[in-house]
PDB file of all heavy atoms in Angstrom:
ATOM      1  N   PRO A 288      69.517  80.661 118.516  1.00 36.00           N
ATOM      2  CA  PRO A 288      70.146  79.896 119.649  1.00 36.00           C
ATOM      3  C   PRO A 288      69.775  78.480 119.474  1.00 36.00           C
ATOM      4  O   PRO A 288      68.744  78.022 119.004  1.00 36.00           O
ATOM      5  CB  PRO A 288      69.734  80.735 120.732  1.00 36.00           C
ATOM      6  CG  PRO A 288      68.494  81.439 120.276  1.00 36.00           C
ATOM      7  CD  PRO A 288      68.658  81.634 118.941  1.00 36.00           C
ATOM      8  N   GLU A 289      70.760  77.613 120.063  1.00 36.00           N
ATOM      9  CA  GLU A 289      70.531  76.292 119.856  1.00 36.00           C
ATOM     10  C   GLU A 289      69.183  75.874 120.759  1.00 36.00           C
ATOM     11  O   GLU A 289      68.609  74.762 120.366  1.00 36.00           O
ATOM     12  CB  GLU A 289      71.765  75.505 120.564  1.00 36.00           C
ATOM     13  CG  GLU A 289      72.920  75.675 119.719  1.00 36.00           C
ATOM     14  CD  GLU A 289      74.200  75.171 120.451  1.00 36.00           C
ATOM     15  OE1 GLU A 289      74.017  74.532 121.601  1.00 36.00           O
ATOM     16  OE2 GLU A 289      75.263  75.226 120.007  1.00 36.00           O
ATOM     17  N   GLU A 290      68.899  76.552 121.871  1.00 36.00           N
ATOM     18  CA  GLU A 290      67.698  76.077 122.530  1.00 36.00           C
ATOM     19  C   GLU A 290      66.369  76.608 122.054  1.00 36.00           C
ATOM     20  O   GLU A 290      65.249  76.472 122.692  1.00 36.00           O
ATOM     21  CB  GLU A 290      67.830  76.711 124.035  1.00 36.00           C
ATOM     22  CG  GLU A 290      68.015  78.076 124.186  1.00 36.00           C
ATOM     23  CD  GLU A 290      69.431  78.609 124.262  1.00 36.00           C
ATOM     24  OE1 GLU A 290      70.150  77.958 123.492  1.00 36.00           O
ATOM     25  OE2 GLU A 290      69.685  79.464 125.040  1.00 36.00           O
ATOM     26  N   SER A 291      66.478  77.358 120.890  1.00 34.00           N
ATOM     27  CA  SER A 291      65.293  77.940 120.265  1.00 34.00           C
ATOM     28  C   SER A 291      64.194  76.717 119.930  1.00 34.00           C
ATOM     29  O   SER A 291      64.769  75.648 119.410  1.00 34.00           O
ATOM     30  CB  SER A 291      65.509  78.664 119.067  1.00 34.00           C
ATOM     31  OG  SER A 291      66.249  79.813 119.503  1.00 34.00           O
ATOM     32  N   PRO A 292      62.941  77.002 120.094  1.00 34.00           N
ATOM     33  CA  PRO A 292      62.060  75.837 119.592  1.00 34.00           C
ATOM     34  C   PRO A 292      62.189  75.566 118.176  1.00 34.00           C
ATOM     35  O   PRO A 292      62.386  76.466 117.424  1.00 34.00           O
ATOM     36  CB  PRO A 292      60.570  76.450 119.994  1.00 34.00           C
ATOM     37  CG  PRO A 292      60.954  77.464 120.947  1.00 34.00           C
ATOM     38  CD  PRO A 292      62.268  78.082 120.672  1.00 34.00           C
ATOM     39  N   PRO A 293      62.171  74.323 117.693  1.00 33.00           N
ATOM     40  CA  PRO A 293      62.197  73.952 116.308  1.00 33.00           C
ATOM     41  C   PRO A 293      61.333  74.768 115.308  1.00 33.00           C
ATOM     42  O   PRO A 293      61.651  75.226 114.319  1.00 33.00           O
ATOM     43  CB  PRO A 293      61.961  72.480 116.181  1.00 33.00           C
ATOM     44  CG  PRO A 293      62.185  71.999 117.651  1.00 33.00           C
ATOM     45  CD  PRO A 293      61.891  73.099 118.543  1.00 33.00           C
ATOM     46  N   GLU A 294      60.030  74.985 115.812  1.00 33.00           N
ATOM     47  CA  GLU A 294      59.101  75.673 115.009  1.00 33.00           C
ATOM     48  C   GLU A 294      59.434  77.212 114.795  1.00 33.00           C
ATOM     49  O   GLU A 294      58.898  77.727 113.944  1.00 33.00           O
ATOM     50  CB  GLU A 294      57.590  75.584 115.591  1.00 33.00           C
ATOM     51  CG  GLU A 294      57.523  76.216 116.914  1.00 33.00           C
ATOM     52  CD  GLU A 294      57.739  75.340 117.986  1.00 33.00           C
ATOM     53  OE1 GLU A 294      58.414  74.359 117.783  1.00 33.00           O
ATOM     54  OE2 GLU A 294      57.267  75.646 119.195  1.00 33.00           O
ATOM     55  N   GLN A 295      60.476  77.690 115.547  1.00 30.00           N
ATOM     56  CA  GLN A 295      60.779  79.115 115.304  1.00 30.00           C
ATOM     57  C   GLN A 295      62.006  79.254 114.480  1.00 30.00           C
ATOM     58  O   GLN A 295      62.489  80.359 114.103  1.00 30.00           O
ATOM     59  CB  GLN A 295      61.054  79.729 116.699  1.00 30.00           C
ATOM     60  CG  GLN A 295      59.872  79.876 117.474  1.00 30.00           C
ATOM     61  CD  GLN A 295      60.196  80.650 118.798  1.00 30.00           C
ATOM     62  OE1 GLN A 295      61.276  80.905 119.179  1.00 30.00           O
ATOM     63  NE2 GLN A 295      59.105  80.741 119.617  1.00 30.00           N
ATOM     64  N   ARG A 296      62.630  78.033 114.122  1.00 33.00           N
ATOM     65  CA  ARG A 296      63.844  78.044 113.449  1.00 33.00           C
ATOM     66  C   ARG A 296      63.554  78.260 111.980  1.00 33.00           C
ATOM     67  O   ARG A 296      62.691  77.574 111.340  1.00 33.00           O
ATOM     68  CB  ARG A 296      64.614  76.864 113.635  1.00 33.00           C
ATOM     69  CG  ARG A 296      66.007  76.881 112.815  1.00 33.00           C
ATOM     70  CD  ARG A 296      66.883  75.681 113.247  1.00 33.00           C
ATOM     71  NE  ARG A 296      66.129  74.462 112.837  1.00 33.00           N
ATOM     72  CZ  ARG A 296      66.217  73.929 111.618  1.00 33.00           C
ATOM     73  NH1 ARG A 296      66.891  74.617 110.694  1.00 33.00           N
ATOM     74  NH2 ARG A 296      65.543  72.791 111.269  1.00 33.00           N
ATOM     75  N   LEU A 297      64.210  79.145 111.142  1.00 31.00           N
ATOM     76  CA  LEU A 297      64.186  79.257 109.741  1.00 31.00           C
ATOM     77  C   LEU A 297      64.836  78.066 109.145  1.00 31.00           C
ATOM     78  O   LEU A 297      65.907  77.747 109.478  1.00 31.00           O
ATOM     79  CB  LEU A 297      64.775  80.593 109.279  1.00 31.00           C
ATOM     80  CG  LEU A 297      63.943  81.894 109.561  1.00 31.00           C
ATOM     81  CD1 LEU A 297      64.735  83.099 109.127  1.00 31.00           C
ATOM     82  CD2 LEU A 297      62.549  81.871 108.944  1.00 31.00           C
ATOM     83  N   PRO A 298      64.274  77.475 108.012  1.00 34.00           N
ATOM     84  CA  PRO A 298      64.979  76.377 107.318  1.00 34.00           C
ATOM     85  C   PRO A 298      66.295  76.936 106.896  1.00 34.00           C
ATOM     86  O   PRO A 298      66.329  78.125 106.309  1.00 34.00           O
ATOM     87  CB  PRO A 298      63.921  76.173 106.179  1.00 34.00           C
ATOM     88  CG  PRO A 298      62.639  76.599 106.513  1.00 34.00           C
ATOM     89  CD  PRO A 298      62.952  77.867 107.428  1.00 34.00           C
ATOM     90  N   ASP A 299      67.288  76.181 106.873  1.00 38.00           N
ATOM     91  CA  ASP A 299      68.633  76.475 106.262  1.00 38.00           C
ATOM     92  C   ASP A 299      69.125  75.377 105.342  1.00 38.00           C
ATOM     93  O   ASP A 299      68.375  74.541 104.918  1.00 38.00           O
ATOM     94  CB  ASP A 299      69.558  76.600 107.352  1.00 38.00           C
ATOM     95  CG  ASP A 299      69.802  75.470 108.280  1.00 38.00           C
ATOM     96  OD1 ASP A 299      69.467  74.295 107.871  1.00 38.00           O
ATOM     97  OD2 ASP A 299      70.230  75.586 109.355  1.00 38.00           O
ATOM     98  N   ALA A 300      70.481  75.491 104.971  1.00 36.00           N
ATOM     99  CA  ALA A 300      70.812  74.664 103.867  1.00 36.00           C
ATOM    100  C   ALA A 300      70.620  73.030 104.259  1.00 36.00           C
ATOM    101  O   ALA A 300      70.600  72.221 103.397  1.00 36.00           O
ATOM    102  CB  ALA A 300      72.341  74.859 103.672  1.00 36.00           C
ATOM    103  N   SER A 301      70.699  72.773 105.546  1.00 38.00           N
ATOM    104  CA  SER A 301      70.671  71.332 105.844  1.00 38.00           C
ATOM    105  C   SER A 301      69.180  70.652 105.598  1.00 38.00           C
ATOM    106  O   SER A 301      69.010  69.470 105.470  1.00 38.00           O
ATOM    107  CB  SER A 301      70.778  71.152 107.410  1.00 38.00           C
ATOM    108  OG  SER A 301      69.857  71.776 108.136  1.00 38.00           O
TER     109      SER A 301
END
Side-chain angles (χ1 to χ4, degrees):
E289 295 175 3
E290 61 268 35
S291 297
E294 63 271 19
Q295 294 181 356
R296 183 177 62 82
L297 286 175
D299 59 21
S301 62

